[in-house]
Amino acid sequence: MSENVAAVKQIERLRDEINQHNYYYHVLDEPHIPDVEYDRLYQQLQALEQQNPDLITADSPTQRVGAAPLSSFAEVSHEIPMLSLSNAFQAQDVTAFDQRICQRLNTEQACYTAELKMDGLAVSLLYESGLLVRAATRGDGTSGEDVTANVRTISSIPLKLRGDDYPQRLEVRGEVYMSKQGFHDLNQRQTELGAKLFANPRNAAAGSLRQLDPAITASRPLSIYCYGIGIIEGAELPESHYQMLQSLRAWGLRISDETARLAGLQACLDYYQAVMRRRSQLPYEIDGVVYKLDDYAQQQEMGFISRAPRWAIAYKFPPEEELTRVENIDVQVGRTGALTPVARLEAVKVGGVIVTNATLHNQQELERKDVRIGDTVVVRRAGDVIPEVVRVILERRPEHTEPYQIPKTCPICGSAAVREENQAALRCSGGLVCPAQRIQAILHFASRKAMDIEGLGEKLVEQLVERGLVNRLPDLYRLSLEQLAAMERMGEKSAQNLIDALQKSRSTRFNRFIYALGIREVGEATALSLTNHFKSLSRLQQASEEELLEVEDVGPVVAANIAAFFRQSENVSVLQSLVDEVGIHWPEVAGSDQTDASLAGQTFVLTGTLESFSREQAKQLLLARGARVSGSVSAKTSYLVAGENAGSKYDKAEKLGVTILSEQQLLQLLAE
C-alpha cells in the first residue's frame, strides 16, 4: 500500500471518528471520551493534513476556522421566505389559535409540536450532497446576510451531514444562541480587556455571528438549536414536523431535548406552565414557547398570512418588571409627526437590559395612568422588547407633584399640534418644515430594512439638517466628499464610505423602496404585498383607495394613508427626483409589463397539492393575468382550485356554490 493511500485511509478514519464524537458531544450531549483524548485525535488529524495538504477538504473538522476576514457581508435571497410568528401573550390567545385550527380542519383535537422559543439569531443552513455550502441570517425574511465563514466556526453545526439518507438539497433553519454561562464568561473577558460589555446573551450572539473576522466568531461560545426546514429536494418529506426534527437529529443536527409532541389545547397550556417554572434553571435564555401544527398536510391546508404561518404561534412569557423612579417627562416627535411623551427613568435592569426611557404613548394613556415627574413606577419590557410604564406606586408619590400635559405646540419647530379624528396621538402640523420629522424620515429611509445606507446615523443626520445640507431625501445623494468630511467625527475615509453606501443604495428592491418612503402604517409586510400586487411604481401611484383595498393586509385606514401620500405634490416631486435624477432603481417585478389581464376581477383560492407546479407558482401565474388570489373562501370567491387532499375549503366552496376547478381545468384556463 502506498504512503498516500495509507494517509487517505488514516485521515478518513480520524475525520469519521472526530465527527462521531462531535455528534455525541454537541447533539446528544453524551460525550464518550474525555476532552484530552478528543484533543489527541484532533492533533493527529491536523498533523496528517499538514503533511498532505492536497488531502485537506472543506468538510474536515480542522477547517472550521481559517477564512480571511471579510470586508462586508454579501446578500442572500431566501428561496423560501423565513417568516416570523404571530404572538400570544395570554392563554385566551392560544385558545383562540387552537379553535381556529380545529374549526378550519373540522377536528375536535389538533396535534402540535411544542418547542422552546430561543432568544438568539435565526439562521438558514444550506446543505448540498450533505455538505454545508451556505449559511445566512434571517434578515427581513426575504433576504439576509451570508455568514457562511462564521457559521463554519460553530462546533455544534456539522460541516457534513451524517448517514446516507439525507436529501440532495436541504435547508435547515435554527437559532444561534449563547448560553448564560458563555455570556457571563464573555463579559468577564471583555471586562479584563477593557472592552464594551454586551447587554444580554441575544445581543452577544447576534454581534458575535456578524463579525467580519471569522476568528472572532470562533472565539465566542455560540451554539445552535435547529427548529425546521426550508428547501428539501431529493427526498420525501416526512408526514409530520416532529418526524422531521428526528430526521435532522439523525443527520447530525442539534435539536432541543425540550421539544414535545402534544395532543390538544390543555397539553399545550400545561407545557407552557411547566417550562415557565423551570425557565430560570435553563442554561440559556428563552422568551416563550412555540406551538406548530404537527401534520405537514394540515399545515398546508391552514396556509399563511403575509407575516406568519396560520399553523404556528409563539406564546410569550410575561414580561419581567422592576421598580424605578421617573426623573423627567419630555416629548419626542416621530417621523410621522406624532408627539409621544417619554418617561426618563432612573436606570434599572429589566429582563437583562438597562432601561432608562419608557414610552407613555399619548396624553390619554398618560392621564389614565397619571404618571408624574418624581413618581415611583413599575416598568416592564412589553413582549420583552419595548420598555413601558405599567403603573404608579401612589404610596411613594412625593408631595406637590403636578399632572403632566403634552404641549399644544411642537417642541421642535413650534408648529401647532393637532389631533386627527378618531386618533389618540397629537401630531405636529409642520410636516417637512419640522426638523424632527425630517430627521426621522431620513433615518427611516436610510434604515437597514429600507435603503440600508450604512454610516448615516442620527448624529450625522442632525448635523446635515441643521446646516441646511439635506432638506429633502434626494439631497442625500448630492452630498460631496468635502461636505461630509467637514462634519463632526467624520474623516475622509468615513465620508468616502458613506458616499459608497449611498451609491450602492441606488440599486434596491421595489418593496424596500416603498417601505423607505415612510408612508404611515406601511410596514415591511404591507410594502411587500403592495409590490406583489401592483408590480410598478406608476401603477401604485395611480391606484384608487378601492384598488388599494384589494391588496392583502390593506384596510381602509392604510388605503387612505397611501392614497393621501401620493396625492401630495411634494411627495410626488420627491419620488420623481429620487427615480429620475438620483437614479434609484430596482429589478423589474415579475409581471410588471403585464399585458394579459384576462382574469382581472376574478378571485381564486388554492387548496390541496398540485402536481404540475407548487401553489405559490400557480398563484404567481394567476396574478400575472390580473387575478386576485385569496387565502380563504367567501361568497366573493370566483373559483376554488382543488388539488389532491383538498380540505375544508372544498366543503365551504360547495356550500357557497363557488365554481370548483381541478388542476387540469386550471391549466386549460391559463392556456386560454
Side-chain angles (χ1 to χ4, degrees), residues 91-383:
Q92 302 94 286
D93 300 331
V94 180
T95 301
F97 164 75
D98 177 68
Q99 286 173 346
R100 286 194 299 273
I101 282 181
C102 289
Q103 286 171 5
R104 190 178 284 258
L105 298 178
N106 195 25
T107 182
E108 290 185 5
Q109 187 181 79
C111 184
Y112 301 95
T113 294
E115 304 163 8
L116 303 186
K117 188 175 185 300
M118 303 297 296
D119 202 10
L121 186 72
V123 296
S124 158
L125 310 173
L126 182 62
Y127 289 88
E128 291 181 351
S129 301
L131 298 180
L132 177 65
V133 296
R134 192 186 69 209
T137 61
R138 178 183 178 276
D140 61 6
T142 303
S143 65
E145 293 175 322
D146 189 326
V147 289
T148 309
N150 290 351
V151 159
R152 288 176 61 84
T153 71
I154 301 173
S155 299
S156 54
I157 297 177
L159 303 179
K160 182 180 181 180
L161 298 179
R162 287 168 51 82
D164 55 10
D165 62 340
Y166 46 74
Q168 176 65 25
R169 199 157 179 261
L170 175 69
E171 181 198 1
V172 182
R173 291 170 176 183
E175 194 89 358
V176 170
Y177 70 93
M178 189 176 290
S179 70
K180 293 175 184 176
Q181 185 61 49
F183 171 71
H184 172 78
D185 294 344
L186 174 60
N187 265 352
Q188 196 100 342
R189 291 201 302 273
Q190 295 290 97
T191 302
E192 291 166 3
L193 294 169
K196 182 181 176 183
L197 300 183
F198 290 96
N200 52 52
R202 187 191 185 285
N203 288 353
S208 299
L209 191 62
R210 296 192 65 258
Q211 292 289 327
L212 293 174
D213 186 353
I216 297 177
T217 305
S219 71
R220 304 281 174 81
L222 296 176
S223 193
I224 192 171
Y225 273 130
C226 299
Y227 57 72
I229 61 166
I231 303 158
I232 181 167
E233 295 174 4
E236 282 189 16
L237 190 70
E239 290 183 359
S240 76
H241 177 64
Y242 189 83
Q243 289 173 353
M244 185 73 244
L245 292 178
Q246 305 317 306
S247 294
L248 293 182
R249 187 197 288 271
W251 295 328
L253 293 148
R254 194 161 178 255
I255 67 165
S256 172
D257 289 330
E258 301 287 341
T259 302
R261 204 180 217 168
L262 306 173
L265 172 64
Q266 192 55 51
C268 290
L269 299 177
D270 291 345
Y271 176 89
Y272 174 88
Q273 292 297 333
V275 171
M276 189 160 62
R277 284 193 294 271
R278 295 189 298 108
R279 181 185 182 186
S280 61
Q281 278 78 54
L282 293 172
Y284 37 73
E285 294 282 0
I286 60 173
D287 57 3
V289 300
V290 175
Y291 305 117
K292 297 175 183 174
L293 193 57
D294 191 44
D295 187 282
Y296 277 146
Q298 291 181 339
Q299 284 187 12
Q300 271 206 322
E301 188 169 348
M302 290 300 300
F304 299 80
I305 54 176
S306 65
R307 297 174 180 81
R310 288 195 179 94
W311 41 264
I313 197 167
Y315 190 4
K316 304 292 283 291
F317 289 132
E320 295 177 8
E321 300 180 345
E322 291 290 347
L323 283 180
T324 188
R325 193 175 67 86
V326 178
E327 295 182 331
N328 202 357
I329 297 175
D330 59 26
V331 173
Q332 288 183 340
V333 183
R335 66 181 177 84
T336 63
L339 273 58
T340 303
V342 176
R344 304 302 182 189
L345 306 169
E346 195 174 90
V348 64
K349 197 170 187 177
V350 186
V353 173
I354 302 297
V355 172
T356 55
N357 305 313
T359 180
L360 295 168
H361 301 291
N362 53 57
Q363 184 67 48
Q364 290 177 7
E365 188 71 355
L366 200 155
E367 289 171 358
R368 185 180 72 80
K369 292 178 179 175
D370 190 21
V371 181
R372 305 182 186 185
I373 296 170
D375 276 343
T376 296
V377 296
V378 175
V379 65
R380 71 176 174 189
R381 293 173 65 218

